Amino acid sequence: MTYNEICLALSEAGIENDRGEAAMLICHFCGINKAELLGRREEEFDCPSLTEAVKRRCGRYPLQYILGYWEFCHETYRVTEDTLIPRADTEKLVELAVRMMPEQARFIDLCTGSGCVAISALAARPDCRAVAVDLFEKTLEIAGENAERNGVGDRIGLLAKNVLEPAFMEELGLFDCILSNPPYIETKQLSLLDDELSFEPEAALDGGDDGLSFYRVIIGEYGKYLRPEGLMLLEIGWDQGKAVAAIAAEAGFRCEIYKDYNGNDRVAYLTK
């Protein structure tokens, strides 16, 4: 297949960034860089793995899983179907954490997935240490690989625990900051999501009947594990600001909502 043929196939499958994705697929599977590709757009790339990748992408299988990695903040992350795909919206959570955490902070990242929130925060703040928690061992293995890949493996501990059952926190002591990008999609909405989201782990998306199950537990039960001047930074859905602020107020927290780069509510900042 040629570059132009791949662009056409992706476009016909409804892929918006057909040109950019065609370039990424060719470069990845054929071992060339983008500069080389500029002069080879009419060349026939006889590469079975590329052909198979294009076929899968046309079936709306996520590009990130096909490539096996994705860029987030300034780091590169391995991603598989055991991890949620890191998204640009979540970079706002990291940006705020890097800016607001005190010096020498010890923080915990709940529902860590690929580890992108904790790892990128640690990469930007070499004075900090972290514990990253996820329910699934396979997911934590990938988070561990990503921590080593990005040079922070010696400053992060990985823990396989259920965030909805916070008793494990008793043995960990107090933290300066709690970070989380928890599942926050309403259960009834899962079947209505874009085709590509159907390939991502449902457990990382399902926030319960109203999408707020994790916030009730994290805000209501984890606050006692914060130092007196500690803070929480939680990613939220674009329409969940008022609901999360109400949960925070009931638990005795002040809450401020920050918007993402598209102007949507994205991060709840909580202090005692």
Side-chain angles (χ1 to χ4, degrees):
M1 302 179 75
T2 68
Y3 167 80
N4 289 331
E5 287 173 340
I6 294 173
C7 288
L8 179 59
L10 295 176
S11 177
E12 289 179 344
I15 306 298
E16 291 184 8
N17 184 24
D18 55 282
R19 298 174 70 84
E21 292 200 14
M24 282 187 275
L25 289 170
I26 293 171
C27 291
H28 180 75
F29 287 100
C30 299
I32 65 174
N33 59 46
K34 290 184 179 180
E36 291 178 282
L37 181 59
L38 287 173
R40 300 173 64 178
R41 294 190 174 187
E42 298 301 326
E43 179 179 329
E44 187 76 25
F45 291 99
D46 185 17
C47 176
S49 57
L50 173 62
T51 301
E52 176 61 22
V54 172
K55 180 180 178 181
R56 296 179 81 194
R57 187 65 184 116
C58 287
R60 305 313 292 262
Y61 190 72
L63 173 69
Q64 295 89 339
Y65 291 157
I66 293 172
L67 297 175
Y69 68 89
W70 201 242
E71 304 294 325
F72 177 85
C73 290
H74 302 290
E75 290 69 49
T76 300
Y77 289 89
R78 182 187 170 210
V79 290
T80 74
E81 288 189 16
D82 291 308
T83 68
L84 200 67
I85 295 167
R87 289 174 168 80
D89 289 341
T90 304
E91 293 186 1
K92 187 66 179 182
L93 175 61
V94 175
E95 175 194 312
L96 292 170
V98 169
R99 191 170 84 215
M100 294 179 171
M101 287 192 299
E103 291 184 7
Q104 306 294 324
R106 178 175 183 253
F107 69 89
I108 189 165
D109 177 30
L110 304 174
C111 307
T112 197
S114 67
C116 64
V117 169
I119 293 166
S120 286
L122 288 173
R125 287 288 303 273
D127 59 309
C128 295
R129 294 172 295 125
V131 175
V133 182
D134 201 275
L135 179 60
F136 302 103
E137 292 282 1
K138 285 186 178 180
T139 305
L140 280 175
E141 287 178 13
I142 294 169
E145 290 180 28
N146 285 328
E148 294 298 331
R149 172 200 292 266
N150 290 294
V152 303
D154 60 337
R155 290 188 287 122
I156 188 170
L158 304 173
L159 196 58
K161 294 293 181 180
N162 186 348
V163 169
L164 294 177
E165 299 175 3
F168 69 89
M169 292 287 290
E170 292 292 339
E171 300 179 0
L172 299 180
L174 298 180
F175 291 88
D176 298 291
C177 183
I178 293 174
L179 305 179
S180 187
N181 176 17
Y184 56 72
I185 297 174
E186 296 178 14
T187 302
K188 65 185 177 183
Q189 295 294 326
L190 293 174
S191 62
L192 306 177
L193 297 174
D194 292 343
D195 292 342
E196 292 180 30
L197 278 167
S198 68
F199 295 100
E200 298 192 56
E202 186 173 300
L205 300 170
D206 189 351
D209 289 344
D210 62 357
L212 300 171
S213 295
F214 281 81
Y215 300 110
R216 292 192 181 91
V217 174
I218 293 173
I219 296 172
E221 300 189 38
Y222 282 78
K224 61 186 176 182
Y225 302 110
L226 278 176
R227 298 188 190 280
E229 300 301 318
L231 60 102
M232 287 191 195
L233 288 165
L234 311 175
E235 179 166 334
I236 63 174
W238 64 272
D239 58 348
Q240 293 177 321
K242 290 183 179 179
V244 171
I247 294 171
E250 186 175 347
F253 282 94
R254 294 184 293 273
C255 180
E256 185 175 352
I257 304 298
Y258 284 82
K259 296 185 181 297
D260 61 25
Y261 308 114
N262 293 315
N264 297 314
D265 286 354
R266 187 58 58 193
V267 179
Y269 165 52
L270 281 65
T271 52
K272 293 182 178 180

